Amino acid sequence: MPRVPPSQPLSEAESAEIRRLRAPLLAWYDANRRDLPWRRTNDPYAIWISEAMLQQTRVETVIPYWQRFLDAFPDVESLARADLDDVYAVWTGLGYYSRARNLKHAAETVVREHDGQLPDTAEGLQELKGIGRYTAGAVASIAFDREAPLVDGNVIRVFARLLGIREDSATRSVVEHLWAVAGELVRGPRPGDLNQALMELGATLCTPRNPACLVCPVRRFCDAHAVGDAESLPIKKKKAKPSRMRAVAAWVERGGKILAVRRPETGLMAGLWELPGGPIEAKDEAKDRLAPVLADAVGLEVRRLEPVGRVEHLFTHRRLELEVFRCVADEGSRVRRKHFVAHRWVEPSALLDLAHAGPTRKAMALLGMTDERSARAARKKRP
Ligand code: SF4
């Protein structure tokens, strides 16, 4: 497609160019679509769950989780009624637990305010907690046949290449331009299939590395293919280096059980279970700080401190360095929660059955405990 400067609204020439993509995209999708379980249903609830899970997570990982989730909570009423811990239990291993929390919150709203029916427009869906512009477009178009556009990472890549956008794809003007392009493209019959075709193209052919241009249904319209610089698009400005964060955590044992604590409902890793501990300063000696940190966070006196190792975990803007220890709680000392909202003494293997985040999974692996997901990953790595 000829290079056009991002503009909004689109010119007539731009609109006409964009609309020429519809027929080849739909024909290709009809012949090549992957047979994914959520494509075999028209149930808006099931489609919504799949879209929530697919944010940040690969299709192959999502498939068994989606099935398990629907077995446990087959409709919006059952999700609204469920205990949040039961929702977390089904979600365990999928990560980004705020998605599970938001799903439950939104289900409660749907039951309370919409008579159990999901809103059938993108605007209505966006009123629900956790449903952003992308998910609203996906659910409205796929489940309700609305001409609602969507733009995600795959779509940005496809459009940047097709339109030859050679500037930072994260700038507001470019992003808005891409939404306008997606809005133009989705107008007409089969909006859900059109959106899925676009995402499928990005996921299977127009991949970040080695795009399969020779079999691409829209290559004759593609600026990057003509120029030969597809792999360098989209242009993404380098992100700022994540800031470093240090913390200590301990496997605190008493009578064969270990202490698990639950984080507050807001902030980083909200509502998740972990080993007790807390932040330390860059200059701190981790071993010296562990006992005071535990005394402050959970009020326990501990002894027999033993360093186990260090794990690292990257959040969106922060890199956590977590020093992990084992220790024993003094018989006489009692848990007094200060920085946590709940605690349990659990069998060591049971901590990973509670909703937990990546750093806890890594720390428990250092301590010889793995959950089903980690064990599967380890098995996969073996030759
Ligand atoms: Fe992507 Fe290549 Fe198709 Fe262009 S021709 S949209 S770069 S796969």
Side-chain angles (χ1 to χ4, degrees):
M1 296 179 88
R3 172 76 182 95
V4 283
S7 66
Q8 197 197 1
L10 302 171
S11 68
E12 267 186 37
E14 279 178 289
S15 296
E17 285 290 333
I18 290 158
R19 298 186 64 72
R20 288 204 298 166
L21 301 170
R22 285 183 51 91
L25 272 175
L26 283 169
W28 172 79
Y29 183 66
D30 288 341
N32 296 283
R33 56 188 274 172
R34 287 173 293 176
D35 179 25
L36 303 175
W38 43 86
R39 287 183 177 162
R40 295 182 216 134
T41 176
N42 294 322
D43 178 6
Y45 169 76
I47 292 168
W48 170 42
I49 302 299
S50 73
E51 288 299 335
M53 288 185 168
L54 286 165
Q55 291 164 32
Q56 329 268 2
T57 311
R58 295 163 57 84
V59 164
E60 305 76 51
T61 307
V62 164
I63 291 172
Y65 278 95
W66 180 79
Q67 197 54 64
R68 272 202 295 276
F69 196 95
L70 290 179
D71 289 345
F73 313 110
D75 48 38
V76 75
E77 285 83 9
S78 56
L79 179 58
R81 269 195 320 268
D83 192 285
L84 183 58
D85 277 336
D86 294 336
V87 180
Y88 279 156
V90 178
W91 200 272
T92 295
L94 207 50
Y96 298 98
Y97 285 82
S98 57
R99 295 180 294 175
R101 201 164 50 246
N102 289 339
L103 277 174
K104 169 152 171 61
H105 188 287
E108 289 169 4
T109 306
V110 169
V111 168
R112 197 175 54 243
E113 296 175 16
H114 301 275
D115 207 16
Q117 304 295 315
L118 270 183
D120 63 0
T121 63
E123 296 73 28
L125 286 160
Q126 274 191 82
E127 299 281 309
L128 298 173
K129 188 151 187 192
I131 299 193
R133 204 173 174 187
Y134 162 80
T135 307
V139 177
S141 62
I142 298 168
F144 298 112
D145 222 23
R146 298 280 183 183
E147 293 174 358
L150 56 76
V151 172
D152 71 349
N154 280 330
V155 174
I156 288 174
R157 186 167 59 255
V158 171
F159 280 164
R161 291 170 175 179
L162 277 168
L163 305 171
I165 294 177
R166 294 179 179 81
E167 56 197 274
D168 183 3
S169 62
T171 59
R172 198 176 167 76
S173 62
V174 170
V175 170
E176 285 311 315
H177 177 67
L178 297 185
W179 275 96
V181 171
E184 186 60 42
L185 189 60
V186 80
R187 280 201 303 118
R190 302 177 61 195
D193 284 348
L194 200 287
N195 278 340
Q196 291 187 90
L198 204 50
M199 292 191 288
E200 189 93 335
L201 186 78
T204 61
L205 298 187
C206 196
T207 47
R209 300 275 154 263
N210 299 318
C213 300
L214 290 180
V215 291
C216 174
V218 287
R219 73 180 176 284
R220 68 181 189 280
F221 306 108
C222 181
D223 187 82
H225 177 55
V227 172
D229 66 349
E231 274 208 27
S232 66
L233 300 179
I235 291 172
K236 293 182 197 160
K237 232 171 114 189
K238 265 214 158 113
K239 286 188 194 149
K241 225 176 145 189
S243 59
R244 178 178 177 233
M245 200 171 45
R246 290 187 76 211
V248 286
W251 162 299
V252 181
E253 201 173 325
R254 175 185 276 168
K257 297 200 167 172
I258 62 167
L259 182 62
V261 291
R262 188 175 205 167
R263 296 176 69 88
E265 288 301 330
T266 54
L268 197 64
M269 299 181 281
L272 300 185
W273 290 87
E274 63 184 16
L275 296 170
I280 60 173
E281 300 289 330
K283 60 179 176 14
D284 284 343
E285 192 61 54
K287 193 168 182 193
D288 297 342
R289 290 294 300 142
L290 181 69
V293 165
L294 287 176
D296 180 50
V298 287
L300 280 181
E301 303 291 325
V302 296
R303 61 197 155 81
R304 296 206 337 239
L305 291 184
E306 181 194 327
V308 176
R310 189 173 77 168
V311 297
E312 294 196 357
H313 191 83
L314 194 61
F315 296 98
T316 316
H317 304 296
R318 285 186 268 186
R319 182 165 56 86
L320 172 68
E321 292 173 11
L322 181 67
E323 308 274 352
V324 184
F325 294 83
R326 291 182 78 124
C327 59
V328 175
D330 273 349
E331 281 306 320
S333 73
R334 298 230 346 244
V335 175
R336 288 192 316 276
R337 293 191 306 262
K338 188 165 165 196
H339 302 315
F340 300 100
V341 295
H343 76 275
R344 289 183 199 168
W345 290 97
V346 296
E347 297 292 335
S349 60
L351 193 152
L352 293 174
D353 293 335
L354 301 170
H356 60 275
T360 301
R361 190 169 59 251
K362 291 175 183 174
M364 291 300 278
L366 264 190
L367 290 150
M369 293 283 155
T370 48
D371 62 0
E372 206 187 314
R373 182 179 172 219
S374 312
R376 256 200 324 273
R379 276 198 296 276
K380 255 192 198 165
K381 272 188 196 158
R382 279 185 214 135

